[in-house]
Amino acid sequence: MPNWVTNKIEAPEHVIRAMLNSEGRVDFNVAAPFPGPNDDWDGIYGDAETAAESVLGVALSNNPRLAMMERSSRERIDIAGMREESFRQFVGMLENYRACGYLHSMDFARKVWGTKWNACEPIAEPDEGRCKFYTAWSCPTGALIKVSERFPDDVIAVTYADEDLGSNCGTFTLQAGQIVTQDIAPNWRDLTDAEKAKWEAFAREVTGRGLEPDEED
């Protein structure tokens, strides 16, 4: 299971509405849709992805152990012996890469949105100029930058906090697709005890964890 990050966005009403799909939910596909031609798969076949990465010469992981495993998988891949479903997806990944440089929508999401899944449990209040949602592992900075690029005259204020209280949290503001101010928690190991207490309190306020029920947002 991923760590869930609480994200709170404040922006003019029209900016918040531009983040919503036809059902009124925060949807990163509205801000930054996957540009490849093949995006109707229910899941990703590991052998199809490995074959595509091998053919395209995608760089191995920077982690030596993971790189060794990836190299071994690529050496064992047998395109001729793949199941039909895997082979068709492999071809589709090559078509995607040729069209946009990404194998599939999750590859795109990780690299462009900044998180591998869409917004979860969103609460949108455009009339109030705010919305809240959860994401896996990280704040979707890339998706929010795409929104900001569409509205260069407007400021978007972002507050986020990981459920690992005190780490991976902070605030930043965007304008014209650029981060113009930020206050982000440093690496936990680099913090003094006072700084740890400060960022843990910040994260508790953002996430509502450890607060009394009537104090939660």
Side-chain angles (χ1 to χ4, degrees):
M1 290 292 292
N3 273 21
W4 290 105
V5 176
T6 302
N7 303 273
K8 297 181 178 181
I9 314 300
E10 294 184 0
E13 177 183 350
H14 62 275
V15 175
I16 299 297
R17 291 194 183 280
M19 297 172 60
L20 310 181
N21 60 24
S22 60
E23 298 176 347
R25 294 172 59 87
V26 175
D27 186 346
F28 303 150
N29 286 304
V30 175
F34 175 61
N38 302 297
D39 188 29
D40 57 352
W41 302 319
D42 291 333
I44 301 300
Y45 294 120
D47 55 349
E49 184 173 41
T50 296
E53 290 174 340
S54 179
V55 167
L56 294 167
V58 174
L60 297 171
S61 171
N62 291 326
N63 183 300
R65 184 175 180 181
L66 290 178
M68 181 177 66
M69 295 171 62
E70 291 171 351
R71 184 179 295 107
S72 177
S73 295
R74 294 182 188 184
E75 290 172 351
R76 296 195 309 269
I77 200 69
D78 176 18
I79 294 175
M82 292 171 68
R83 297 173 304 157
E84 184 67 15
E85 297 88 344
S86 292
F87 180 76
R88 292 302 170 193
Q89 191 175 88
F90 158 68
V91 173
M93 288 183 185
L94 296 183
E95 291 174 344
N96 283 340
Y97 191 87
R98 183 180 183 184
C100 67
Y102 302 99
L103 298 179
H104 47 72
S105 58
M106 189 176 292
D107 180 33
F108 171 81
R110 286 193 297 257
K111 295 173 181 177
V112 177
W113 292 354
T115 182
K116 65 179 182 178
W117 296 325
N118 212 328
C120 295
E121 299 182 30
I123 300 173
E125 299 175 305
D127 292 344
E128 303 296 327
R130 63 191 181 194
C131 64
K132 173 184 174 182
F133 52 85
Y134 301 95
T135 47
W137 296 114
S138 58
C139 175
T141 303
L144 297 172
I145 285 174
K146 292 295 185 182
V147 176
S148 178
E149 288 174 346
R150 291 178 56 192
F151 302 97
D153 295 330
D154 297 305
V155 174
I156 301 174
V158 183
T159 301
Y160 70 97
D162 196 301
E163 62 180 310
D164 183 10
L165 300 175
S167 298
N168 187 25
C169 60
T171 62
F172 62 91
T173 57
L174 294 165
Q175 187 167 22
Q178 300 292 323
I179 295 176
V180 292
T181 65
Q182 63 178 347
D183 186 16
I184 307 299
N187 189 295
W188 185 257
R189 292 171 297 182
D190 298 331
L191 298 177
T192 65
D193 288 343
E195 289 171 330
K196 288 179 179 179
K198 166 197 166 181
W199 286 111
E200 183 175 341
F202 169 86
R204 287 189 184 281
E205 181 177 357
V206 174
T207 64
R209 294 183 63 196
L211 299 178
E212 294 299 324
D214 59 353
E215 292 181 303
E216 295 184 13
D217 185 3

